[in-house]
């Protein structure tokens, strides 16, 4: 596949808590956090965030593979820009969704929504290819200098 034309992005709702939790646990495992010790805690954390709107949780659906990825954005205040900012520090694509463009589609959708809401910048604290992330960031009209942006280049999602 390679592009994200077949990836559908949607905002997670209450009915998506179990699916999102499964992906979130995979994300924690990916980073070496022993999530298996407290899966209920992870579920409650995501249920609270989704239910109260404390963060934006997006899910990536791929035909034939189901829901394969998620992104979680925290809303924050930037002392640099004296305005609203977003922090994306959870972005994960399950092995079944790799090479589908799901990671790129999630990142693009986060940035698109941030721009629509007039957010000053998005702090990208996520393991995603540095060049791709910066290119998408700039393609949405964000300027790297206007907000302190971290591109953690740990490899491709």
């Amino acid at each position: 596949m390679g592009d994200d034309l077949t990836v559908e992005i949607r905002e997670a709702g209450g009915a998506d808590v179990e699916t999102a939790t499964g992906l979130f646990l995979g994300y924690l495992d990916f980073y070496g956090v022993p999530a298996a010790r407290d899966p209920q805690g992870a579920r409650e954390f995501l249920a609270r965030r989704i239910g109260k709107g404390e963060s934006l949780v997006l899910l990536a659906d791929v035909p034939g593979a189901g829901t394969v990825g998620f992104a979680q954005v925290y809303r924050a205040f930037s002392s640099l820009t004296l305005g609203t900012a977003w922090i994306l520090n959870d972005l994960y694509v399950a092995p079944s969704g790799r090479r589908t463009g799901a990671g790129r589609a999630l990142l693009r959708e986060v940035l698109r929504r941030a721009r629509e809401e007039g957010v000053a910048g998005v702090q990208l604290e996520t393991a995603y290819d540095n060049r791709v992330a910066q290119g998408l960031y700039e393609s949405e009209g964000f300027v790297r200098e206007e907000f302190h942006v971290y591109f953690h280049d740990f490899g491709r999602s």
Side-chain angles (χ1 to χ4, degrees):
M1 285 181 177
D3 60 20
D4 50 26
L5 298 176
T6 59
V7 180
E8 186 176 309
I9 305 295
R10 61 189 167 87
E11 194 166 335
D16 296 310
V17 170
E18 298 305 326
T19 300
T21 300
L23 289 165
F24 188 66
L25 292 174
Y27 169 84
L28 294 175
D29 287 341
F30 181 78
Y31 284 103
V33 178
R37 280 193 289 189
D38 188 16
Q40 189 58 27
R43 185 198 180 286
E44 290 169 4
F45 170 78
L46 276 182
R48 182 174 63 252
R49 293 241 171 228
I50 292 170
K52 292 183 178 178
E54 291 179 2
S55 58
L56 172 67
V57 179
L58 299 177
L59 298 175
D61 295 326
V62 174
T67 304
V68 300
F70 81 103
Q72 183 179 194
V73 173
Y74 299 85
R75 291 172 175 92
F77 180 80
S78 168
S79 58
L80 278 164
T81 61
L82 301 179
T84 305
W86 284 6
I87 301 171
L88 170 65
N89 66 354
D90 299 337
L91 190 154
Y92 174 73
V93 177
S96 61
R98 304 275 162 81
R99 300 188 180 281
T100 62
R104 183 184 181 102
L106 281 163
L107 183 53
R108 179 183 287 140
E109 182 64 9
V110 165
L111 294 168
R112 187 190 68 75
R113 287 180 183 225
R115 178 51 67 200
E116 277 185 358
E117 287 197 23
V119 171
V122 182
Q123 185 166 311
L124 302 173
E125 295 188 357
T126 186
Y128 198 82
D129 181 84
N130 199 341
R131 288 176 295 109
V132 173
Q134 187 166 354
L136 290 173
Y137 189 78
E138 292 169 354
S139 74
E140 285 300 325
F142 291 110
V143 179
R144 188 172 175 139
E145 288 72 32
E146 73 184 22
F147 188 66
H148 192 59
V149 181
Y150 296 102
F151 292 103
H152 293 304
D153 192 2
F154 298 145
R156 297 185 184 276
S157 291

